[in-house]
Amino acid sequence: MGDALKQFLNQSRLKGSLQALQIEDVWEKIMGKTIARYTDKIKIHGHTLYISSTVAPLKQELLYQKEKIIQRVNEALGERVIREVVIQ
C-alpha cells in the first residue's frame, strides 16, 4: 500500500504541494527564526523552489545562499528534489 501511494504521488501533481507543505513545516529549523519570520510564501513547481518576501535585504541575503538553501531543503525532504531557487 505504501509503495502504491508513493508511486501515485510521484506521478501526480500533488507531490510538489505536499513537499512545499513539508518545507513550510521545517523552514524555521532549516533557515532560522529571522528568515522564517520574513518569508511570505514558499512554493515548489517542478524542481524549482520559489521563495517570496517583501524585505529587500532578506532577498539579497537569500540570493547569496541559494546553494545552501538547495542543499538544506533536499536534506529535509530526504531526496534531491530542488535544483533551483527563485527569490521573489
Side-chain angles (χ1 to χ4, degrees):
M1 181 75 168
D3 291 335
L5 187 58
K6 279 184 183 179
Q7 185 177 2
F8 169 76
L9 287 174
N10 283 335
Q11 295 173 352
S12 77
R13 295 182 194 179
L14 294 174
K15 186 173 182 179
S17 299
L18 291 174
Q19 289 170 332
L21 289 173
Q22 286 178 314
I23 292 171
E24 286 178 5
D25 287 342
V26 295
W27 185 246
E28 186 176 312
K29 243 191 287 185
I30 293 172
M31 298 305 297
K33 287 183 180 184
T34 305
I35 291 175
R37 184 178 310 135
Y38 294 108
T39 302
D40 299 326
K41 187 176 172 184
I42 302 168
K43 184 174 88 171
I44 295 176
H45 188 335
H47 295 283
T48 305
L49 175 67
Y50 294 89
I51 304 170
S52 298
S53 178
T54 56
V55 180
L58 175 62
K59 287 181 179 183
Q60 194 66 31
E61 181 65 28
L62 292 174
L63 284 171
Y64 292 126
Q65 294 188 24
K66 278 186 174 185
E67 289 301 318
K68 189 182 284 189
I69 293 169
I70 292 170
Q71 179 185 4
R72 288 179 177 179
V73 169
N74 284 334
E75 285 176 9
L77 292 174
E79 59 182 305
R80 184 161 159 73
V81 176
I82 304 302
R83 296 187 186 137
E84 186 179 347
V85 174
V86 175
I87 312 299
Q88 302 175 324

